[in-house]
Amino acid sequence: MSDLLTTSVEYLKGVGPKRAELLRKELGVETFGDLLNQYPFRYIDKTQFHRIGEIQEENTYVQLRGILRRLDLIGEGRKRRLSGQFRDESGVVDLVWFSGVHFLQKQLVVGQEYILYGRVNAFRDQYSIAHPEMEVYTPEAAQTASFFAPVYPSTEKLNNQGLDAKTRRRLTRILLDRLTPAEVPENLPDYLLQKLRFCSRLEALEGIHFPKSAEQLEAARNRLKFEELFFLQMRLLQLKRRRQQSVRGFSFDQIGTHFNHFFSDILPFSLTEAQKRVLREIRRDLGSGIQMNRLLQGDVGSGKTVVGFMTMLMAVDNGYQACLMAPTEILAQQHYLSISAYGEAMGLEVAFLAGSVKGKKRQAILDKLASGEIHLIIGTHALLEDPVVFHRLGLAITDEQHRFGVEQRARLWRKSQPYPPHVLVMTATPIPRTLAMTLYGDLDVSVIDELPPGRKEIITQHRTENHRLRVLGFMREQIALGRQVYVVYPMIEESEKLDLKNLMEGYEALSREFPPPEYQLSIVHGKMKAADKDYEMQRFVSGQTQIMVATTVIEVGVNVPNATVMVIENTERFGLSQLHQLRGRVGRGGDQSYCLLMSSFKLSSESRERIQTMVRTTDGFQIAEADLRLRGPGNIEGTQQSGMINLRIADLARDGRILQSAREIAMRILDHDPSLQRPEHQSIKQHLVSNNRESRVWSRIS
Ligand code: ADP
Ligand code: MG
């Protein structure tokens, strides 16, 4: 590794301790290498000089060559500014600076010839340029000026301390000029460079900072994107391999009586091919002697629960207990209902544990769990509490959860000896492939990408306020057919009060439209006590109420097959993945189901696109891709907390192809040379070691 790149940026000509501190604070730039790794976010075309007399429009960027004519400090206090005049043979423009005026006044020389760059404003028939970049004219400067000039992320503080765009550019230029190829060692093997037709690393850096043509920029981008994604995948895949080598697990060798009995005698339908494939993948993990760490992705209604249950049977058949955790008590309860029905048919002891289970009842469950009498336990995160002791926990399943936090993982691992339990995480939030490859790149991922046969596509329509009466009429028709209806209101933190008001008003209006005794309504929102929520929910689940008015608390997992209509109010305020989850609450029985997206007439183009996406498709993966495109990876659920998608140049919404190839190549290399021993892979190894600082802490799901 070259020492130059790890040298503190303080020692770069023109920086010094004060600016170095500023660069560190404002941009996190500490070394020469960091500075080089700050890529421009855009470029300005400096391939030609303009003539002042030919400027025709404001808001255009121009590059001029001419003489600074005047320079005066005018105004007082906060209104103080530096005013100048610049002229070439064709005309005159005014110049003005509002900050850094003293510094500039000392720097700039009246009568000097400059190359000037800036954006033109029009003011009282006179063109002017605020905060232009100025560089003393020399033939060499004119030469280097003639390409696309990089624009770097900056802050006001940096600008005020003389670290403006121009200076940043100059620093990067000085640095690049000092670098020799030896100081930017190649980090990809020759055979890859040739195969992928990549330029050298030094060329790529030159090309990304100071491209002389669009082609050069493209070549640099290609290589740097690949490099970034490749090393990310290398790290993830190495982590995965290390885990697979070091975290031993219980070996479930038997496919035994319970599994077979359930499969042939009790399972009321045939499994889809996707379900079978996933069960085979799980089965392979469980028999491998290594702890399973598998994410099971499957759209709403794809049948994850039965796969989870059959995995639990594999544990039971090998003499282990299994638990299933859900994020809310309602969801846990629903899982308990379906799993205990299956379990009882097979003589298994299935228990439920959540915050609401108290006193003697709780103690009895804890005792039976510790003695091993209970085979399967379903509950909330109450299962992770310390008094919960298992006889022999072999498998933990979580539903609708993102990764465990470190603390939760530790709690889970403490419950099982001598190995941690196998872990299966089920999620109905479809994650775009590119995100899955990065967010979950160190995990094993199974996907159920097929719905059970015979499902009717949910009919989705966009409706505005003037359709309200027809929507109410439609609800009445469906209720007359014996069906049930959800009406969902947004509820977000910032405007909680207003949201609650909307919800209550909506509820009252609906109560007038659907009066008792003919109609009964349930209401559920996040401000209610858990017990009240459960009561209201239960009335809807059991069919005593026909309409459920709710906020997004019902978003995840609730299963009422008789509900056929989902009305979403203020649809524009929901994100795509939320809408998809909500729609998934209907269409769970055999009847044709409907999703009506209510919104105001006026919509932002993004809201409109979200609604159109929902109307166009019910495929969760397509919706997730659209979400990624509309909002960018940083805003997709589950990515913020992880802070993982912090890429410098690659874009997960656009660079899927590069990512795919980077991952495949990384896999192939590790398959053939797991510890990177071969001479041709030393460059990769070196890079991984010396850039270790960049690798974030990737947590396992368990
Ligand atoms: P998910 O949890 O993935 O949203 P569920 O496991 O709740 O989906 O399954 C949804 C419904 O589909 C359940 O009523 C379940 O019994 C049923 N189901 C699951 N797999 C199949 C299958 N292969 N064929 C028919 N119905 C199925
Ligand atoms: Mg489910």
Side-chain angles (χ1 to χ4, degrees):
M1 180 65 198
S2 89
D3 293 336
L4 192 63
L5 291 184
T6 54
T7 305
S8 164
V9 72
E10 179 183 340
Y11 302 110
L12 187 63
K13 188 173 161 232
V15 179
K18 231 178 101 186
R19 283 177 167 182
E21 179 60 14
L22 207 61
L23 281 169
R24 193 184 61 76
K25 269 206 188 128
E26 297 287 300
L27 299 172
V29 168
E30 293 184 19
T31 63
F32 286 13
D34 292 342
L35 195 67
L36 273 188
N37 283 336
Q38 284 244 327
Y39 303 141
F41 66 92
R42 70 182 179 90
Y43 302 85
I44 39 197
D45 185 354
K46 289 197 171 184
T47 51
Q48 51 177 321
F49 284 102
H50 299 85
R51 289 160 58 83
I52 295 173
E54 289 167 7
I55 294 175
Q56 300 203 338
E57 280 177 83
E58 53 178 334
N59 287 330
T60 50
Y61 283 91
V62 291
Q63 178 171 250
L64 308 171
R65 178 184 156 185
I67 311 275
L68 182 63
R69 271 297 165 218
R70 264 193 15 234
L71 199 62
D72 307 299
L73 208 48
I74 53 180
E76 282 301 322
R78 301 193 59 211
K79 290 231 171 101
R80 202 171 186 74
R81 61 189 196 275
L82 191 63
S83 158
Q85 213 176 54
F86 190 79
R87 107 175 318 148
D88 66 9
E89 68 279 12
S90 70
V92 177
V93 281
D94 290 337
L95 308 180
V96 62
W97 292 265
F98 299 99
S99 61
V101 293
H102 293 289
F103 176 81
L104 284 161
Q105 199 185 21
K106 268 185 268 167
Q107 291 275 304
L108 296 171
V109 179
V110 174
Q112 171 78 53
E113 189 173 14
Y114 285 98
I115 297 169
L116 176 153
Y117 187 85
R119 196 172 69 176
V120 178
N121 302 311
F123 185 68
R124 289 192 196 136
D125 289 340
Q126 173 66 22
Y127 287 119
S128 71
I129 299 176
H131 287 269
E133 291 172 26
M134 311 267 293
E135 186 175 1
V136 172
Y137 175 83
T138 60
E140 300 85 67
Q143 264 254 297
T144 48
S146 60
F147 48 72
F148 301 100
V151 184
Y152 298 96
S154 190
T155 66
E156 196 168 329
K157 269 205 186 129
L158 287 173
N159 281 330
N160 289 346
Q161 299 288 322
L163 279 167
D164 57 5
K166 191 185 64 180
T167 313
R168 284 288 300 288
R169 211 171 287 153
R170 205 188 66 230
L171 292 179
T172 311
R173 186 65 263 166
I174 293 174
L175 188 52
L176 274 169
D177 289 341
R178 274 183 66 174
L179 285 178
T180 59
E183 278 159 332
V184 190
E186 198 41 74
N187 55 14
L188 297 173
D190 274 347
Y191 71 87
L192 266 186
L193 292 179
Q194 278 170 20
K195 187 173 156 225
L196 300 170
R197 298 209 184 94
F198 281 156
C199 58
S200 79
R201 251 189 118 197
L202 189 57
E203 283 167 334
L205 287 174
E206 179 69 35
I208 199 76
H209 287 289
F210 299 100
K212 293 199 173 54
S213 67
E215 294 75 37
Q216 195 191 357
L217 178 59
E218 192 54 28
R221 273 198 180 131
N222 256 336
R223 175 187 164 129
L224 293 171
K225 283 179 176 186
F226 178 87
E227 205 181 294
E228 178 166 50
L229 295 170
F230 174 77
F231 284 104
L232 176 65
Q233 289 302 322
M234 266 289 174
R235 289 209 167 82
L236 289 166
L237 292 167
Q238 281 185 322
L239 259 180
K240 183 165 162 179
R241 281 172 180 260
R242 230 168 279 147
R243 169 169 57 74
Q244 290 177 341
Q245 277 153 22
S246 63
V247 186
R248 296 200 44 79
F250 304 112
S251 188
F252 294 179
D253 304 318
Q254 315 276 333
I255 278 281
T257 36
H258 289 99
F259 187 94
N260 288 330
H261 175 44
F262 180 78
F263 186 69
S264 24
D265 308 332
I266 296 177
L267 184 66
F269 40 73
S270 359
L271 295 174
T272 61
E273 285 308 312
Q275 285 171 316
K276 286 189 208 159
R277 171 171 40 77
V278 169
L279 276 168
R280 278 197 300 272
E281 288 164 355
I282 291 173
R283 162 91 194 105
R284 212 184 308 130
D285 286 358
L286 296 180
S288 70
I290 290 153
Q291 187 224 12
M292 174 169 77
N293 233 291
R294 189 168 281 279
L295 178 77
L296 171 54
Q297 259 197 291
D299 213 340
V300 193
S302 62
K304 293 181 295 296
T305 308
V306 74
V307 169
F309 178 70
M310 292 177 78
T311 307
M312 291 174 123
L313 292 181
M314 293 184 205
V316 174
D317 278 337
N318 286 273
Y320 293 90
Q321 295 167 301
C323 68
L324 189 156
M325 271 179 285
T328 67
E329 192 148 348
I330 294 177
L331 285 178
Q333 192 76 50
Q334 286 204 340
H335 277 299
Y336 175 68
L337 286 178
S338 47
I339 287 177
S340 59
Y342 286 149
E344 267 151 37
M346 295 196 305
L348 292 177
E349 187 79 17
V350 185
F352 176 78
L353 188 73
S356 68
V357 182
K358 295 202 174 80
K360 276 194 192 134
K361 213 168 151 194
R362 185 184 193 86
Q363 196 51 51
I365 289 172
L366 293 183
D367 292 345
K368 283 204 230 167
L369 201 59
S371 71
E373 239 174 289
I374 289 174
H375 299 101
L376 308 178
I377 188 157
I378 320 299
T380 57
H381 277 66
L383 287 171
L384 289 175
E385 287 163 14
D386 283 335
V388 180
V389 176
F390 288 83
H391 175 61
R392 235 182 148 200
L393 178 65
L395 167 74
I397 301 182
T398 72
D399 190 25
E400 311 297 359
Q401 284 288 299
H402 292 289
R403 294 169 164 231
F404 276 128
V406 176
E407 170 66 13
Q408 290 175 328
R409 179 168 80 223
R411 279 164 177 266
L412 180 66
W413 283 35
R414 278 206 297 273
K415 296 195 183 300
S416 161
Q417 294 297 334
Y419 305 127
H422 292 297
V423 172
L424 182 68
V425 171
M426 306 196 293
T427 174
T429 313
I431 304 163
R433 276 169 40 76
T434 54
L435 267 184
M437 274 191 265
T438 36
L439 263 181
Y440 301 121
D442 56 334
L443 304 180
D444 299 301
V445 180
S446 290
V447 183
I448 305 185
D449 48 7
E450 176 188 4
L451 292 182
R455 293 275 163 81
K456 291 199 179 76
E457 184 108 333
I458 298 163
I459 296 174
T460 304
Q461 283 166 344
H462 180 200
R463 293 279 174 261
T464 51
E465 209 44 53
N466 49 351
H467 299 112
R468 177 72 62 190
L469 280 179
R470 301 228 311 262
V471 170
L472 291 169
F474 181 69
M475 288 166 63
R476 248 177 234 113
E477 279 169 31
Q478 287 285 308
I479 293 171
L481 291 171
R483 312 280 147 70
Q484 288 163 285
V485 179
Y486 292 103
V487 181
V488 178
Y489 286 83
M491 179 70 94
I492 51 170
E493 297 290 322
E494 304 96 82
S495 58
E496 217 173 66
K497 273 209 186 105
L498 201 68
D499 280 336
L500 199 58
K501 186 165 160 268
N502 277 341
L503 175 79
M504 295 318 290
E505 280 173 8
Y507 175 74
E508 274 155 31
L510 281 169
S511 306
R512 283 192 297 276
E513 294 288 339
F514 297 91
E518 194 182 352
Y519 298 102
Q520 299 288 332
L521 277 64
S522 286
I523 182 165
V524 170
H525 59 80
K527 292 275 130 183
M528 287 162 73
K529 290 208 190 89
D532 296 340
K533 244 191 281 184
D534 282 357
Y535 172 79
E536 290 284 314
M537 199 65 225
Q538 221 43 64
R539 289 200 324 141
F540 187 68
V541 171
S542 64
Q544 293 168 59
T545 62
Q546 296 94 355
I547 301 177
M548 162 62 79
V549 183
T551 57
T552 43
V553 289
I554 59 143
E555 188 180 325
V556 201
V558 172
N559 189 27
V560 182
N562 190 47
T564 56
V565 184
M566 167 64 65
V567 180
I568 300 177
E569 298 286 347
N570 297 112
T571 306
E572 63 270 35
R573 299 215 2 232
F574 291 91
L576 264 178
S577 71
Q578 251 184 336
L579 291 173
H580 179 63
Q581 290 291 330
L582 285 169
R583 179 166 58 185
R585 299 306 102 211
V586 296
R588 300 174 80 83
D591 302 312
Q592 178 62 56
S593 291
Y594 305 86
C595 177
L596 302 175
L597 305 171
M598 307 295 295
S599 84
S600 53
F601 197 69
K602 264 178 101 170
L603 289 172
S604 73
S605 63
E606 200 201 306
S607 304
R608 191 169 295 281
E609 200 170 331
R610 259 182 287 150
I611 292 175
Q612 280 166 355
T613 303
M614 289 298 294
V615 171
R616 187 178 63 237
T617 180
T618 52
D619 179 332
F621 283 94
Q622 279 193 34
I623 289 169
E625 298 283 351
D627 204 20
L628 177 64
R629 228 176 25 245
L630 285 173
R631 291 196 299 164
N635 294 314
I636 301 292
E637 210 180 328
T639 61
Q640 294 109 325
Q641 81 228 44
S642 62
M644 286 179 184
I645 310 300
N646 203 356
L647 297 173
R648 193 172 283 143
I649 183 164
D651 175 347
L652 293 180
R654 297 217 192 100
D655 299 326
R657 213 177 37 79
I658 303 179
L659 173 59
Q660 179 71 38
S661 110
R663 185 167 171 90
E664 277 164 15
I665 289 170
M667 262 189 227
R668 215 174 310 139
I669 290 176
L670 288 174
D671 279 346
H672 290 109
D673 187 13
S675 41
L676 302 175
Q677 297 288 327
R678 295 196 189 167
E680 67 269 31
H681 293 149
Q682 291 319 296
S683 47
I684 297 177
K685 196 170 180 174
Q686 267 305 315
H687 182 94
L688 285 168
V689 171
S690 42
N691 291 277
N692 211 16
R693 178 159 84 97
E694 283 180 24
S695 71
R696 299 123 183 129
V697 183
W698 305 83
S699 58
R700 292 188 286 257
I701 42 173
S702 88

